[in-house]
Amino acid sequence: MSKPIVLHLGDDIKWNHELYATLQSKFTIVRSHSISRSEFIAALKSRRFGDFVAMYRPFWNTGGEMGNWDDELISLLPKSCKIYASAGAGFDWVDTRRLAQSGTAFSLTIINEAPYPFPTDTPATPGIVYCNAAAACTESVADAAIWLILSTFRAFSWSSTAARSLSVPRFQDANRNIAAVTHNPNGYALGIVGLGKIGYRIAQKASVAFGMKILYNDIRRMPTDIEESISATFHEKLDDLLAAADCTLVATPFGGDKVLQASNIARMKKGSRLVNIARGKLIDEDALVAALESGQLVSAGLDVHYDEPRVNAKLAAMPNVELLAHTAGASVESHIGFERLGMENILGFFETGKAVTPVNAQWIKESKL
């Protein structure tokens, strides 16, 4: 019997060759490489890639040329497709709920009959599991978050741009005046919105290295052992956290709407700071600009932006705002991990019926009811 098909989106793998060989031994790999949306749609309609059971995208920079994964694309996927494992932490570009609702309860006998040892007692399930790779870039994002937190307390952006300007007056201005308006983060409260893997790692670094107090808000309270490991205080209401935090860090996935609206930003502690390493659309940038201009907030650090790749001109002109080009998770280690975790998700799913890092499992369960 022929092996089941995995559709590999984008470039060749670069690092995890032994694991890829394992994948090849159990699946037939077909490639889309990097094609436009119209070409990809035509390929799906013509069944050019066959009845693939999984999609694998090992890199963030390629394999996504078809654009957002919405109903137009998802409705064209073969009923055989059961899992999409992609690089990257964010998934605001893919309708994970629509994936979960896709198709019918497809029988997995195609896998049972192939050389791949899928457990025969695993029930058929509807929908496509989407797996991200946030776990692979946790360390890199956490390190960048620490840089942004430090920058909001110590005005590193002001100092750096003054030095790079080659202007003697600007250098002297920074040299003489920064000390009067900056602080060490030790003892200040860091309020984390979203204490997932990345938020938790940031909390570990901030509490251990800088002695910061940890507050957090999430849709559910963490177990006691997790809270105690970072001496964290839970705030059930977001506005309560905002009022108490000296620096608020946004580390929650984008769920379709802003987390920090103008009304929320108005409730932030006066003179506090804001850092965003999640998604730009989580924050009302106009309200952020107004809060910085009024002094409600003293500084901000942003890796992500509302209208990427375009950066807000007002924020870019502010010396008390540190800006990055959405590179918090960008490191060789992250990309090695993206590659590996995607394959582990596919192999794990077809060995045990469970993926390693599913993000739409709750909707998969709903579609089974």
Side-chain angles (χ1 to χ4, degrees), residues 258-309:
K258 301 180 183 71
V259 168
L260 294 186
Q261 307 271 4
S263 59
N264 303 114
I265 293 175
R267 292 183 175 90
M268 293 179 71
K269 185 176 183 179
K270 186 170 177 60
S272 63
R273 304 149 186 86
L274 177 62
V275 171
N276 187 8
I277 49 83
R279 280 294 181 266
K281 292 189 184 300
L282 288 166
I283 295 176
D284 184 330
E285 277 193 355
D286 291 337
L288 173 59
V289 169
L292 289 164
E293 289 176 339
S294 70
Q296 173 73 18
L297 299 181
V298 295
S299 57
L302 307 173
D303 176 55
V304 290
H305 309 274
Y306 192 88
D307 192 28
E308 284 186 25

Side-chain angles (χ1 to χ4, degrees), residues 56-68:
Y56 171 51
R57 181 186 177 191
F59 302 111
W60 182 249
N61 289 338
T62 67
E65 293 79 9
M66 69 287 293
N68 287 348

Side-chain angles (χ1 to χ4, degrees), residues 137-147 198 201-202 205 328:
C137 63
T138 295
E139 200 70 18
S140 294
V141 176
D143 287 345
I146 291 297
W147 165 255
I198 292 174
R201 187 63 178 134
I202 294 167
K205 291 173 183 281

Side-chain angles (χ1 to χ4, degrees), residues 187-208:
Y188 282 90
L190 175 65
I192 302 176
V193 182
L195 197 69
K197 286 184 174 63
I198 292 174
Y200 179 71
R201 187 63 178 134
I202 294 167
Q204 287 181 312
K205 291 173 183 281
S207 60
V208 173

